[in-house]
Every structure is written in C-alpha cells, then in structure tokens.
Amino acid sequence: MVFAWNASLVVALGLPLLGGLLPAVARDWRWILLGVVLAEGGVGWLLLQVWPPAMALSLWMAGWIAAVFLGLGQSHQWRQGAPLPTAWGGRLFRFTLVGFALVLLALHVGRAAAWLPETMGMVQAWAALGLILAGVLHLAMTQHPFRVTVSLMVLLAGFSLVYAHLEQSLLLTVLLVGVTLFLGAMGSYLLFGPLPEAGP
Amino acid sequence: MNAPWLWILLPGLVAGGLILWPASTRTKARVGAGVALFLGVLAGLLPIDRVLMPWPGRVVFKVSSEWVLLGRSLVVPDSLRPWLMGVYGSLALWLWAAPWARMRPNFVGWGLMVTVFLVSALAVRPFLYAALLVEMAVLAAIPLLTPADEPATPGVVRYLAWMTLGMPFLLLASELLVGLETGLLESPLVLRAAVVLVLGFLPWLGIAPFHSVAPLLGESTPPYRAAFVLTMTTSIMGLFALGFLEQYAWLRETPQVYTALRLAGMFMFLLGSLWAPFQPHAGRALGYAWVAENGLGILALGLGGKAGLSTYAWLMPARMALFWALALSLSVLAADGKGYHRDVLEGRFWTHPWASLLWVLAWAGLAALPVTLGLWPRWHLARQLMARGPAWSGWLLLGFLALAGTGLRWLRFFLDQEAGKVASESPSTPREKTWDRLALGFGFGLLLIGWLWPQGVVRCWAEWAVLHFPQLVK
C-alpha cells in the first residue's frame, strides 16, 4: 500500500508537468504527443483508485487511442512537409508562464481544492487542477488544430479526475470515452486536410 | 414503441446512412429533409404517453416517453413535442435548400447527426449528462464545417476549442448541483456551482469575449454551414440553459439572475448590431448578426416568467427563418466562388436581383422593420422592455437602427451601377438561375407570410412550447 501511495504521489505530481510543460515547451510534435500519452496514462492510474477497473481502463485506453488518432493526423502533416508551428511567444516565455502557473497552483491548491469534491484529497486535486490549468494555458497560446486538440485532451483528462469522485455511472463513462475518442478523431480529421493552417 | 426511438434513434440511423451513402447533395437533401419534415409533422400529430385508438377495438397503441439505456433514461415527454416540431421543421428547411446553397453532400448527414445529438441532450435523464451530448453535437459539426478536402480554418478550430472549453464546466456544475434544487444562493455550495455554471455558459452562449467565434466562423467558412451550426446549436443550448432555470428554484427565484441576463443580453445585442455595419465581409456581418440575435434571446430569458419565455420561444422560429434566408441568399450571391467580400459583391443586384433583395429583406427582419416575420417577436420584446424603463427601449432601438443600416449599406453595394455594368456585360459572370429563384422565392414567401399572419401558427406554437417549463411559467 505504501508503494501504491508513493507511486500515486509521483504520478499526481508529475502529471501537470507532463501535460502542461511538455506541450507548451516542446517543438517536436512527437514530444508533445508523448506528454499527452503519459498524462492520459497517469490519469488512468489515478482513476483506477476511484473507479471500478473496467471503467477506469476504458477511459485510459480511450485517451491513448485518441492520442494515436492525433499522432496519425500530425504525422500526415509532417510527411506533407508542414512543420508544427510553435505556440505563441518564445520558449523561455512559455516555460516561465507555465512554471509561474504551477507555482501559483502549488501555493493555492488548498483553497482551490475546496471547490472540488471532498473525497478527492490534496494529491488528486493537485493533479486535476494542474492538468486543467495546463490545458487552458496551452489553449490560450495556440490555434493550430494539433495543439488545440492536445490542450483540450489535457483539460478533459483533468476534469475526468474530478467527475470520477462525483459520479460512477456507466453512462457517464461511455459518454466520456465517446467524447475523448471523438475529439481525437476530429482533431486528426482536421489535420488530414489538404493544406496546413498557417500561423501559431 | 417509444418516443426516443422515433425522434433520436431513427434519425440517428438515417444520419449514419446518409454520411456513408455516396450520393449527390440533391439526393441526400431530399431524403434528409423528408425525414426531418416527417419527424416534425409527427411531433405535431402524435401524442406521447397516451393510448391511441386509430381503429377502435382493433388497433390500440401507445408511444411511451422513456427509453432506458445503460442504466439511465432518454425521456421525450409530451411537452417536448412543440420543440421537436420547431427543431425538425427548421432542420427540414436547412437540408431542403442545401443544394441551392452549393453545399457538399456531407452537409446533410452531419447536419442531421448534429441535430440528433442536440435533441438527445434535451432528452437525457439525469439532466447532467446533457453537456456531454451537446459536446458530441459540437464534434459532429466539425466535418460539416470542414469537408475532407478543405483545410481547417481558424474559425472552425476556435469553435471546437471554445465549445469544448464550456462542456467540462457545465458537466461539473451539473454534478455539483445534484441535491441542491432548493438551496439558497448565499450557500457556499450553491455559489460555487453557480460560478462554474457561468464559466460553462459563457463560451456556449457566445457571450463576450467568446462572441468572436461567430464572425471568425462566418469569415472563414461558407455562410450556410456557419449559420446552420451557430443557430441550431445556440437555440438548443438556450433550451439547456432554460432547463437549469426550470430545475433549480434558487436560480429561478433570484432577481439578480434575471438582471444579469438582461444586461448580458443587451450588451451582446448592441455589440453585434453596432459592429455589423462596419464589416466589409458579408460572412463577418452575418456573424455579428448572430451575436446580436443571440443577445436578443438572452435578453428575452432575462425578462423572466411566462412573458419572457414565450418571447424567447417566439424568437426561435423567426431566427431560424431569417438566418436561413441570409445564408441562402449569400450562398447564391457568391456562387461563383470568388468570396464574400464587399469588393466582390458590389453590383450583384444587376446579376442576382432575387438573392440581393432576400439578403436585404432578412436584415430588415433582424432590424424589426415592418416587412418580415422578424417584426412581431421583436415588437413583443420591446413592449415588455418598455415596462422596465425607457432606457432599455432606447438601447434596443439603437441596435435595430444599426441593423437596418447594415441592410441599407449592403443594398447600396449591390446597386452599384458601375460594378453592375461591368459584371452584366461580361459573359463570364454567372447569373442567378431560374432554379435558384425557386428557393429564393420560397424564402420571400416564408418571411412575408410570417409578417402578415402574426397571431397565427408561430404564436400558438410559442404558447404551446412554454408549457415544457411549468415552473418558469407559474
């Protein structure tokens, strides 16, 4: 149990860094995708502690499949010779912004957690709020379909941790799985278009 | 048999079939519009949860309202029938005219699918799952807005981002509100849920600063697609918002909620109407018209009570007809594929007289000028606002003048004789076809009949529709 708790803590602390820093700072789409895959895996791991395994694993797998959809779309663009534009601002600026947001979150996570279900606990609240913040920040920095979909996936992953503590119904899981897969598929669909969108 | 099978499962299967069927837009439009019209008429004729005896003693049946699915239910009560009539009737209009608007074949299937998801959001119980189904509708709108051989435009990406941003907040608010039907706004739990609710509805209802998605979508996407998605999704998201007011007494009975809605609605109306005249791009002007129209809807909700609700309901069919007419006429005007900028559309009256006049007439309807069906719900709204002080009516009048000015400005561009002469004399300039005039003529008829017959079907429909919200009409 001690090991499980430690692993959860490591996963929970690492999630916002993976989901927030990596997509915002990385230039190569494969690093960004790796960040999403690890963040979705981490959320799946945390969900396993709240939801029945079948439901948690379904959402975990849906996150990974959606990431595969996105990867296929972006690799298509890459093969067409369209590089992934960086998000707005320089790398140092983005790194500082995300770091600043994480520091703010660390200072105020207790107060923010009061808005979340009481059963969540500080560790899961940190992970959920960190992912939500990371998703919103990255979303504000970009309008490229790949980056926008990544941000939305990170944001939804954070929220799914919150819902897990409020509801354990099969229909909610099915709909969340459906939305995650559909979002990945639509992000990929936009990337398979004939011309890459210019601009950040 | 149950009602969700008829109004959700059946059109869902048809939509799936239409998406996969490799047929022309015209063929698909006939099938899609036929199914939508059938479902709209059926909603008007077929009572739900009542025993029917079409052949007494031999044929007896009952359409039940509930379909249990994965431990939860989809419920289409009898009181939802007028809204189903409105939604599927409007959908039939949009799908029927798709070939004239030069839509791709995928418009029909995805258009029907978007509507099915939106209707299922109105039907799902518990109510909190609706946010996820609306999100499915938003995602289904992506291939409709961007066919496979077109690039992703900034408008579509922003639409995806902002609509998806609203969903988790609304789902969270719905979850937090479980068991708080009769709380007090002063309670920290209720206040928390209310803040999350507002955060979700800001992007969904396109309230500033999230309104910019509409002009951007209008500019970067063909107007018929953009107008369909914006009007259809916002109208049903408005019903979703009404569902919250209906369900939660603390929300319904707090006067500040209505004041906030009125202020937000008026701000949106003025923002859209005052910006519209300065747009050199017809698609952007259409986007700002949507912002103004959306503001009017929120303003009507802010009136509260039965009067506000019936005004909101009355605005909906007029909105559908006016935006359909705007989008159709603009699609015909720009059928040569040169775009929707003012410079391109100057002098178009001399080659496309019907489409130009319908575009201007629809603006007149948005401006409440006494020539189209847009007048009556706006007049109804203005009368109720008058009772709340002259300032409200003054601001409303200012917005209507700006919208009328937009229509007049575009009329002046269309009548530009120099550009018209060049276009008329050039053999390569496409002209309005007799076939186009069939749909445009239908548009004229629709806008004018609604004006000449104000107390007719639409008013009765609005009075019927408000019964779906018994707590709000008390």
Side-chain angles (χ1 to χ4, degrees):
Chain A
M1 284 306 283
V2 172
F3 172 74
W5 185 88
N6 283 337
S8 300
L9 185 65
V10 170
V11 167
L13 289 175
L15 272 179
L17 295 171
L18 289 170
L21 276 180
L22 209 52
V25 177
R27 283 184 184 152
D28 193 321
W29 62 272
R30 284 162 290 205
W31 282 108
I32 296 174
L33 207 60
L34 181 68
V36 175
V37 167
L38 293 175
E40 292 283 353
V43 169
W45 169 266
L46 294 177
L47 281 176
L48 271 171
Q49 297 168 29
V50 189
W51 268 358
M55 283 163 61
L57 284 171
S58 306
L59 200 53
W60 183 344
M61 289 304 121
W64 277 4
I65 295 168
V68 170
F69 286 159
L70 262 186
L72 287 173
Q74 186 52 37
S75 72
H76 170 78
Q77 287 227 336
W78 182 64
R79 282 199 306 273
Q80 302 289 314
L84 178 69
T86 50
W88 283 324
R91 187 185 271 193
L92 185 64
F93 168 74
R94 283 178 270 124
F95 189 86
T96 312
L97 189 68
V98 176
F100 186 63
L102 288 176
V103 169
L104 267 183
L105 178 66
L107 291 175
H108 295 284
V109 67
R111 196 178 296 170
W115 286 59
L116 301 176
E118 288 170 5
T119 52
M120 273 195 85
M122 206 57 84
V123 173
Q124 295 231 357
W126 158 263
L129 289 170
L131 284 173
I132 292 167
L133 194 66
V136 171
L137 271 180
H138 192 209
L139 193 60
M141 293 179 199
T142 181
Q143 50 178 302
H144 188 272
F146 176 71
R147 286 185 178 274
V148 164
T149 316
V150 162
S151 316
L152 294 172
M153 282 176 65
V154 169
L155 178 84
L156 285 183
F159 269 102
S160 61
L161 270 178
V162 183
Y163 306 141
H165 287 269
L166 288 165
E167 176 93 12
Q168 296 199 355
S169 82
L170 187 58
L171 184 59
L172 178 75
T173 315
V174 169
L175 286 173
L176 279 174
V177 165
V179 164
T180 308
L181 289 174
F182 208 0
L183 179 63
M186 287 302 114
S188 176
Y189 172 84
L190 289 175
L191 293 166
F192 270 105
L195 289 169
E197 195 56 41
Chain B
M1 190 192 296
N2 61 53
W5 286 5
L6 276 176
W7 284 287
I8 294 170
L9 185 63
L10 171 69
L13 293 173
V14 173
L18 285 171
I19 290 165
L20 297 172
W21 186 24
S24 67
T25 307
R26 188 161 293 175
T27 313
K28 285 188 177 191
R30 282 179 191 152
V31 175
V35 170
L37 187 65
F38 166 73
L39 293 170
V41 172
L42 196 67
L45 298 176
L46 190 66
I48 298 167
D49 272 342
R50 260 183 267 167
V51 177
L52 298 171
M53 288 185 285
W55 191 355
R58 293 184 181 235
V59 180
V60 178
F61 72 96
K62 186 177 116 175
V63 177
S64 68
S65 58
E66 190 176 9
W67 177 25
V68 178
L69 187 71
L70 297 173
R72 297 291 187 267
S73 331
L74 287 169
V75 181
V76 178
D78 196 62
S79 59
L80 196 64
R81 281 169 52 213
W83 295 106
L84 291 174
M85 277 175 71
V87 168
Y88 280 111
S90 313
L91 177 69
L93 186 67
W94 284 96
L95 297 185
W96 168 74
W100 284 282
R102 279 73 176 171
M103 286 295 99
R104 302 291 186 82
N106 77 337
F107 177 85
V108 181
W110 286 109
L112 191 55
M113 190 62 96
V114 166
T115 312
V116 166
F117 279 127
L118 291 170
V119 169
S120 56
L122 294 179
V124 73
R125 299 286 181 280
F127 179 57
L128 61 92
Y129 299 114
L132 285 160
L133 288 161
V134 175
E135 175 62 20
M136 294 290 235
V138 167
L139 292 169
I142 299 301
L144 184 154
L145 291 166
T146 313
D149 56 350
E150 289 181 19
T153 61
V156 174
V157 176
R158 191 175 294 183
Y159 174 78
L160 172 68
W162 285 3
M163 292 293 147
T164 306
L165 191 61
M167 184 276 287
F169 288 101
L170 282 170
L171 183 57
L172 182 61
S174 310
E175 301 263 15
L176 293 174
L177 284 167
V178 172
L180 295 178
E181 280 79 0
T182 53
L184 290 171
L185 195 58
E186 289 77 28
S187 146
L189 283 176
V190 171
L191 193 64
R192 205 173 292 164
V195 171
V196 179
L197 196 65
V198 170
L199 286 176
F201 271 120
L202 284 176
W204 267 26
L205 294 180
I207 296 172
F210 296 98
H211 69 284
S212 67
V213 71
L216 192 60
L217 202 58
E219 185 181 13
S220 60
T221 314
Y224 202 78
R225 292 184 210 155
F228 170 77
V229 169
L230 288 173
T231 50
M232 190 60 92
T233 50
T234 319
S235 297
I236 297 187
M237 284 169 185
L239 292 183
F240 183 61
L242 275 171
F244 277 96
L245 282 174
E246 168 72 12
Q247 195 162 349
Y248 299 103
W250 56 268
L251 202 56
R252 193 172 60 238
E253 288 162 9
T254 306
Q256 291 90 328
V257 170
Y258 296 100
T259 309
L261 283 172
R262 279 198 303 278
L263 288 172
M266 184 57 89
F267 177 70
M268 296 302 299
F269 174 65
L270 288 173
L271 182 69
S273 54
L274 295 178
W275 254 248
F278 303 104
Q279 302 308 315
H281 190 283
R284 281 188 72 83
L286 191 145
Y288 276 106
W290 174 85
V291 173
E293 182 64 27
N294 205 19
L296 276 189
I298 297 169
L299 194 55
L301 288 181
L303 292 172
K306 190 181 176 187
L309 192 54
S310 69
T311 310
Y312 179 80
W314 203 0
L315 279 167
M316 191 178 142
R319 176 191 308 148
M320 285 290 178
L322 290 170
F323 276 85
W324 172 79
L326 277 177
L328 175 70
S329 54
L330 188 55
S331 303
V332 174
L333 278 167
D336 56 358
K338 289 182 182 166
Y340 307 91
H341 201 273
R342 187 188 78 188
D343 299 344
V344 178
L345 297 175
E346 272 182 342
R348 281 289 158 109
F349 173 79
W350 309 106
T351 51
H352 296 73
W354 287 46
S356 311
L357 288 178
L358 186 62
W359 168 259
V360 175
L361 190 70
W363 278 101
L366 291 173
L369 292 179
V371 282
T372 75
L373 86 172
L375 170 68
W376 303 111
R378 284 162 177 71
W379 174 242
H380 195 58
L381 178 68
R383 274 178 52 193
Q384 289 174 64
L385 278 177
M386 201 99 76
R388 293 178 186 271
W392 287 100
S393 312
W395 290 118
L396 202 64
L397 184 67
L398 178 68
F400 286 145
L401 284 174
L403 290 169
T406 312
L408 285 174
R409 189 166 174 262
W410 280 99
L411 182 64
R412 191 170 67 82
F413 295 144
F414 293 150
L415 287 172
D416 188 299
Q417 288 201 337
E418 204 173 313
K421 196 177 170 192
V422 173
S424 305
E425 287 172 359
S426 165
S428 64
T429 306
R431 283 167 174 72
E432 201 171 73
K433 297 184 181 77
T434 313
W435 183 243
D436 290 329
R437 290 179 181 171
L438 176 70
L440 295 167
F442 183 82
F444 280 111
L446 189 69
L447 299 195
L448 294 173
I449 287 170
W451 168 51
L452 294 170
W453 199 19
Q455 301 297 327
V457 178
V458 177
R459 182 67 200 269
C460 294
W461 173 86
E463 294 299 323
W464 184 22
V466 299
L467 299 177
H468 185 57
F469 302 98
Q471 299 297 328
L472 280 172
V473 296
K474 262 183 190 171

